[in-house]
Amino acid sequence: MTHALAPLCLLGMLLYAVPQCTVPASEFQLEGDYLIGGIFDIHISSLEYHSRPEVIKCSSKTFLLPNYRRFQLMRFSVEEINNSTHLLPDVSLGYEIFDHCSDAKNFPDIFRLMSGSGLINPLDDPYKSNQSRAIAVVGPFTSTQTLTISPLFMANLVPMVSYGSSSSVFSKKVLYPSFLRTVHPNKDTIDAIVNILQHFNWRWVAFLNSENDFGIDGLEMFTQSIKDTEICLAYSKSLSDKTDYAQIFRQIEAQKIHVVIVFAPKLNAEAVIGSAIELNITNKVWIADDGWSLNKIIPKMKGIQNIGTVLGVAQPVVNIPGFNDFINSTKSQPLCESAEQQGFCNQVCNCSSVSVEEIQTADPTFSFPVYSAVYAIAHALHRILQCESGRCNKALTAYPHLVLAELMNSNFTLLNQSIHFDENSDPKFGSFSIVFWNRSGEAQEIGFSYFRPQVNFYINSTAIEWYNGEVPTSLCSPECPVGYAKKQTGAHKCCFMCNKCLNGTYVNITENPSTCLPCKKTEWSEEGSTSCNLRAVEYVAFTDLGAIVNLVGAGALVGVALAMCVLFVINYNTPVVRSAGGPMCFLILGCLSLCSISVFFHFGIPTVAFCTLRYLPFLLFYTVCLACFVVRSFQIVCIFKIAAKFPKLQSWWMKHHGQWLVITAAFLIQALLLLIGGLIVLPKPYNETVWYPDKIVLSCDLTLTSSLSSVFLLTFLCSLCFIFSYMGKDLPKNYNEAKAITFCLLLLIFTWIIFATVHMLYRGQYIQLLSALAVLSSLYSFLLWYFLPKCYIIIFQPHRNTQQYFQGLIQNYTKTISQ
């Protein structure tokens, strides 16, 4: 008998030595005092049209290893909490996890989580008849999944803590009151991408986004973020299963875009990069969002080095202690596939062939968001059950809405990070890493982006190995040189021509780079300026040497005129004084003295009074002087030539004192013209800014409207005087008043022609000196060439100042005419 049993014992030992497949508890379910729901897309089902109802079996769809890793991470987190002695010391957590592989067709699992005792009743008493089986839900992953199922949980305020839904719409608490997330919203990701673009001055970019809520929201966020920047969205395209990548890259190449942002999930990103390699797209900068920046498959693609440089925004890789040991323990024995087929709905994985190494080395993105989501729920339950004393009060009921309230007030530390949420239930913790795919296919961290409490962005540019050896550029138009304004040439602000700003304008590139702004009247600028300089204010001060010379000349004229008056008074009854005009000499000398007043108002800072007195005394009293010389010239001609031919005219002239009538009329007409001109346009200070761009020349605005009639009257009198005096050019040589007047008039005309010519060519400060000098020259021309010779005769040649001498000149002239 003993010999018969020996072979059986040996066979039993051999059978025991062969590895056996075990039948473990389902990975999707765990019993506990409080149930947490889990929604993970371990598999993915492509959207297809079906003409008849179809039951989705997720286990038959495409397997996603990174998502399976996150699934395992939730299981690990619950087990770690249950093994803890301080968080929920005498309370256990359970879970029920579903493989949510379809965006729109996985409702049985949601109904199961929502139901109480397997039923979904109309809302009556939420504390009794419609209590959810789960106190909270971790997930789902994508924004589209959340948009589809969240309304079912929002009605009963069942907390949904998503670890991947980043669409900005979930920040609206009115629509999603019980939604929280442990992943940053799209706006934070887009802000980090915009910071990268601005750091490298990339302004001409393409944006490829997935054709779902996540990608569409990312495109909207990007468009809003670059609105007030110099970045232009040159091309955008939504990606789907039917996308023509060849057409996309033809458009990108045609527009010379060198930077391509791919804001899409893992599968879309793999399709984009794979097509770029296949189509031989080279020398581009690819910017990845946090969904695929740490992808493990794409960097290993053959030919990936040829497409250019890949940068990305990534979630920092957080090492979660104990997770690798958990995977080792759960995957150390082969599982019986038949055991997994007994799960409810989509609680079947068919992934027993996945090795420990594959799970541990899968894309770690969104690992900490899953871990922190589970712990946030556990901490909320800890506060509701009053577990601070080391024991939990099991008599209390943790309703979902109570868990939600505590989740909103979360404030605890997890792996050295402070976990809490803002008023929109978005995370106030975490940051982004800026990564670069090096030549070995690893995502090398080269910078960071912190959002709270303040924005802090950094990139170590020297650590990047660019495809062409230097930082590439991506511009529609090259930057304008300094002092050039941008003139937009198309729909995009990045496409422009450069126009150089002219004199008197400048461009402020920080405020308005597209316009050459005019400088103020008190400023000036050269061509191509970026700012204006203050103009130098110029005027002739009273202390200027030229002003002093003119003032001394005016004073000397008054002194000489006064001395001549005294001399003429002493010799009043002599022929020279009477031939010079007699009493009219004193009027002329007085008016010349009054004219010199104008010289004193040519200097200093102009005012209305200065501008008025600068020309008014000269125009008014010089009119009287010219009227006197007109009368004097007419009388000389009349005595020698007109009296014999027109005796009645001479008689009338002498009887009615015609000379004084003409002088008075000229004075009154000029005074009236000056008054009317002053009422129409009062002379006022004027800043000359046209002739000299860097100067302001202070002068007076003497318009033609106010002075034309007065100048015309002076010209008319001057012309009459010149005509009459010219008619007497052949009078006796030693008694030729007409010749002296003609010479004075020629000097007068020559002086003002010179001044007018210079005034047309020069408008600087010294034009005031020339104007004063012209006035003095006009006065001295008569004083020196008309009166001074007579004074010379009176003083040095008294023999020529006798009645007999003048009588002899007249008689000789009469004999000459008669012959």
Side-chain angles (χ1 to χ4, degrees):
M1 186 69 178
T2 305
H3 295 287
L5 292 176
L8 293 176
C9 292
L10 180 61
L11 178 62
M13 293 177 64
L14 291 173
L15 291 174
Y16 182 79
V18 176
Q20 301 293 311
C21 74
T22 60
V23 183
S26 172
E27 291 184 312
F28 290 86
Q29 293 176 319
L30 179 69
E31 296 296 326
D33 297 325
Y34 289 93
L35 182 68
I36 300 177
I39 302 176
F40 290 80
D41 46 351
I42 301 173
H43 297 83
I44 186 169
S45 174
S46 59
L47 294 176
E48 297 178 356
Y49 174 76
H50 298 281
S51 61
R52 56 186 296 175
E54 181 190 41
V55 177
I56 296 180
K57 294 183 178 179
C58 291
S59 57
S60 63
K61 305 300 179 181
T62 304
F63 176 69
L64 299 176
L65 179 60
N67 294 14
Y68 181 66
R69 185 182 193 274
R70 296 163 198 149
F71 162 78
Q72 293 292 347
L73 193 56
M74 177 175 173
R75 297 183 60 239
F76 162 72
S77 303
V78 172
E79 181 176 300
E80 188 178 59
I81 292 170
N82 287 338
N83 293 332
S84 171
T85 58
H86 68 278
L87 188 55
L88 296 172
D90 52 353
V91 174
S92 63
L93 290 180
Y95 56 74
E96 189 158 7
I97 306 175
F98 294 90
D99 184 3
H100 198 82
C101 63
S102 172
D103 288 341
K105 298 180 180 180
N106 277 166
F107 285 97
D109 52 348
I110 306 304
F111 293 150
R112 182 177 175 88
L113 287 176
M114 291 175 56
S115 66
S117 302
L119 299 174
I120 300 177
N121 299 317
L123 184 61
D124 182 15
D125 185 352
Y127 303 120
K128 296 179 180 179
S129 62
N130 206 37
Q131 179 63 49
S132 170
R133 298 178 65 245
I135 61 171
V137 176
V138 175
F141 178 57
T142 70
S143 297
T144 301
Q145 292 169 353
T146 304
L147 285 168
T148 305
I149 68 175
S150 60
L152 302 176
F153 292 99
M154 298 298 110
N156 287 344
L157 296 182
V158 177
M160 294 181 66
V161 188
S162 176
Y163 54 89
S165 302
S166 56
S167 179
S168 59
V169 70
F170 300 122
S171 297
K172 298 179 180 179
K173 301 313 298 174
V174 175
L175 299 178
Y176 302 94
S178 63
F179 176 86
L180 300 92
R181 53 184 161 196
T182 52
V183 66
H184 284 275
N186 282 342
K187 185 181 184 306
D188 290 346
T189 308
I190 292 298
D191 286 345
I193 292 175
V194 171
N195 285 335
I196 294 175
L197 298 178
Q198 291 178 325
H199 179 82
F200 294 109
N201 197 31
W202 293 328
R203 303 179 184 176
W204 192 238
V205 301
F207 194 96
L208 306 181
N209 59 283
S210 55
E211 198 175 42
N212 56 16
D213 299 283
F214 165 75
I216 294 171
D217 181 71
L219 177 60
E220 292 177 356
M221 291 294 102
F222 182 75
T223 304
Q224 293 177 11
S225 297
I226 64 173
K227 186 179 298 183
D228 297 325
T229 68
E230 295 182 347
I231 301 170
C232 292
L233 179 56
Y235 178 78
S236 64
K237 184 68 176 180
S238 296
L239 307 175
S240 65
D241 295 337
K242 299 180 181 180
T243 298
D244 184 354
Y245 289 102
Q247 176 65 20
I248 289 177
F249 290 122
R250 278 196 298 268
Q251 292 284 346
I252 290 175
E253 290 293 339
Q255 298 189 56
K256 299 180 180 179
I257 303 170
H258 298 146
V259 176
V260 182
I261 302 166
V262 181
F263 199 85
K266 167 182 175 290
L267 294 179
N268 291 121
E270 289 178 359
V272 171
I273 302 302
S275 299
I277 295 172
E278 182 180 349
L279 296 171
N280 195 29
I281 304 301
T282 60
N283 298 339
K284 303 293 181 192
V285 175
W286 306 84
I287 299 182
D289 65 74
D290 57 336
W292 65 279
S293 57
L294 299 181
N295 190 284
K296 301 297 184 179
I297 298 175
I298 301 177
K300 306 299 182 181
M301 289 182 176
K302 184 179 180 181
I304 187 69
Q305 299 294 337
N306 298 328
I307 67 170
T309 303
V310 180
L311 304 177
V313 176
Q315 297 178 21
V317 177
V318 178
N319 182 31
I320 300 176
F323 178 63
N324 288 339
D325 296 334
F326 171 79
I327 296 298
N328 283 324
S329 64
T330 57
K331 293 293 181 179
S332 59
Q333 294 180 348
L335 304 178
C336 297
E337 293 291 341
S338 59
E340 289 190 294
Q341 305 302 324
Q342 300 172 2
F344 169 79
C345 191
N346 287 312
Q347 291 180 313
V348 178
C349 184
N350 284 344
C351 47
S352 59
S353 61
V354 180
S355 67
V356 172
E357 291 75 20
E358 287 178 317
I359 299 174
Q360 292 175 345
T361 59
D363 184 354
T365 309
F366 302 103
S367 295
F368 186 75
V370 174
Y371 189 65
S372 58
V374 176
Y375 264 89
I377 296 171
H379 276 273
L381 193 61
H382 173 88
R383 292 190 295 274
I384 293 173
L385 300 179
Q386 301 174 357
C387 301
E388 293 82 1
S389 62
R391 294 182 61 83
C392 298
N393 187 353
K394 294 185 178 182
L396 299 175
T397 302
Y399 293 109
H401 73 279
L402 297 178
V403 176
L404 173 63
E406 293 298 336
L407 277 170
M408 298 289 290
N409 296 321
S410 294
N411 189 3
F412 62 94
T413 301
L414 183 65
L415 299 184
N416 298 323
Q417 293 200 46
S418 180
I419 309 299
H420 51 288
F421 302 93
D422 63 15
E423 64 277 5
N424 297 321
S425 300
D426 292 330
K428 294 179 67 175
F429 58 91
S431 61
F432 281 130
S433 296
I434 310 301
V435 298
F436 152 69
W437 288 6
N438 57 30
R439 298 186 184 278
S440 61
E442 300 296 330
Q444 176 183 340
E445 185 173 346
I446 57 169
F448 55 79
S449 179
Y450 293 104
F451 304 102
R452 297 174 179 87
Q454 62 183 7
V455 177
N456 190 3
F457 181 82
Y458 169 77
I459 289 182
N460 180 14
S461 304
T462 59
I464 303 175
E465 300 173 5
W466 299 104
Y467 59 83
N468 59 357
E470 58 183 13
V471 180
T473 60
S474 188
L475 302 170
C476 178
S477 300
E479 194 62 30
C480 289
V482 175
Y484 284 73
K486 302 176 181 178
K487 182 181 179 181
Q488 189 170 322
T489 56
H492 295 287
K493 58 188 175 184
C494 297
C495 303
F496 48 81
M497 295 188 302
C498 298
N499 296 326
K500 192 173 186 179
C501 291
L502 302 177
N503 290 331
T505 64
Y506 72 101
V507 60
N508 189 332
I509 59 174
T510 58
E511 294 182 2
N512 189 359
S514 61
T515 305
C516 290
L517 303 172
C519 294
K520 298 178 181 177
K521 290 186 177 180
T522 57
E523 297 175 336
W524 71 283
S525 67
E526 297 178 346
E527 283 189 350
S529 295
T530 57
S531 62
C532 295
N533 303 312
L534 284 175
R535 292 174 182 258
V537 179
E538 293 186 350
Y539 62 93
V540 180
F542 285 98
T543 56
D544 189 271
L545 180 61
I548 293 173
V549 171
N550 276 276
L551 294 175
V552 170
L557 184 138
V558 175
V560 172
L562 182 60
M564 287 182 178
C565 286
V566 173
L567 183 62
F568 286 176
V569 168
I570 296 173
N571 299 274
Y572 184 73
N573 293 320
T574 60
V576 171
V577 176
R578 288 200 303 271
S579 65
M584 199 177 294
C585 293
F586 301 105
L587 178 60
I588 295 173
L589 290 172
C591 288
L592 290 176
S593 299
L594 291 174
C595 286
S596 65
I597 295 175
S598 295
V599 176
F600 292 88
F601 295 98
H602 277 75
F603 313 111
I605 299 176
T607 62
V608 174
F610 269 50
C611 292
T612 302
L613 295 174
R614 181 171 292 187
Y615 293 107
L616 187 144
F618 176 74
L619 292 174
L620 182 60
F621 296 112
Y622 207 73
T623 300
V624 176
C625 293
L626 286 179
C628 291
F629 284 112
V630 168
V631 170
R632 184 64 189 143
S633 301
F634 176 75
Q635 286 177 332
I636 293 172
V637 174
C638 182
I639 291 172
F640 288 97
K641 294 188 175 183
I642 300 179
K645 297 181 181 180
F646 303 98
K648 291 183 179 181
L649 178 60
Q650 184 185 17
S651 175
W652 183 91
W653 182 269
M654 298 298 294
K655 180 180 180 180
H656 295 88
H657 304 285
Q659 67 272 25
W660 299 112
L661 291 175
V662 172
I663 294 171
T664 303
F667 174 78
L668 293 176
I669 292 172
Q670 185 67 288
L672 181 62
L673 292 176
L674 289 172
L675 178 62
I676 294 172
L679 292 175
I680 295 174
V681 181
L682 187 67
K684 59 183 181 297
Y686 168 72
N687 295 339
E688 176 59 65
T689 58
V690 177
W691 284 71
Y692 302 98
D694 58 338
K695 300 177 184 177
I696 298 178
V697 180
L698 304 183
S699 60
C700 289
D701 184 17
L702 187 64
T703 62
L704 290 176
T705 305
S706 61
S707 60
L708 182 61
S709 56
S710 298
V711 174
F712 178 77
L713 178 58
L714 279 176
T715 306
F716 175 71
L717 292 175
C718 185
S719 300
L720 283 179
C721 186
F722 187 80
I723 292 171
F724 291 141
S725 60
Y726 185 76
M727 290 172 63
K729 67 181 184 301
D730 55 347
L731 294 178
K733 182 177 180 181
N734 294 326
Y735 183 64
N736 197 344
E737 305 292 338
K739 286 184 177 181
I741 295 174
T742 302
F743 184 72
C744 292
L745 290 174
L746 289 174
L747 287 179
L748 175 66
I749 295 169
F750 184 68
T751 296
W752 287 103
I753 288 176
I754 292 177
F755 175 77
T757 303
V758 174
H759 190 268
M760 287 189 294
L761 302 175
Y762 172 74
R763 297 290 178 86
Q765 61 175 326
Y766 294 109
I767 196 68
Q768 312 304 327
L769 286 176
L770 294 176
S771 178
L773 190 62
V775 170
L776 280 179
S777 178
S778 302
L779 301 180
Y780 271 107
S781 63
F782 286 107
L783 188 70
L784 298 179
W785 304 107
Y786 183 79
F787 288 103
L788 190 60
K790 293 171 177 49
C791 295
Y792 179 80
I793 293 174
I794 293 172
I795 297 173
F796 298 104
Q797 295 180 345
H799 63 280
R800 297 174 58 187
N801 190 17
T802 61
Q803 190 70 25
Q804 295 80 5
Y805 183 79
F806 274 80
Q807 294 259 344
L809 291 176
I810 295 173
Q811 289 175 1
N812 291 333
Y813 179 73
T814 304
K815 290 178 181 179
T816 304
I817 293 176
S818 62
Q819 291 177 356

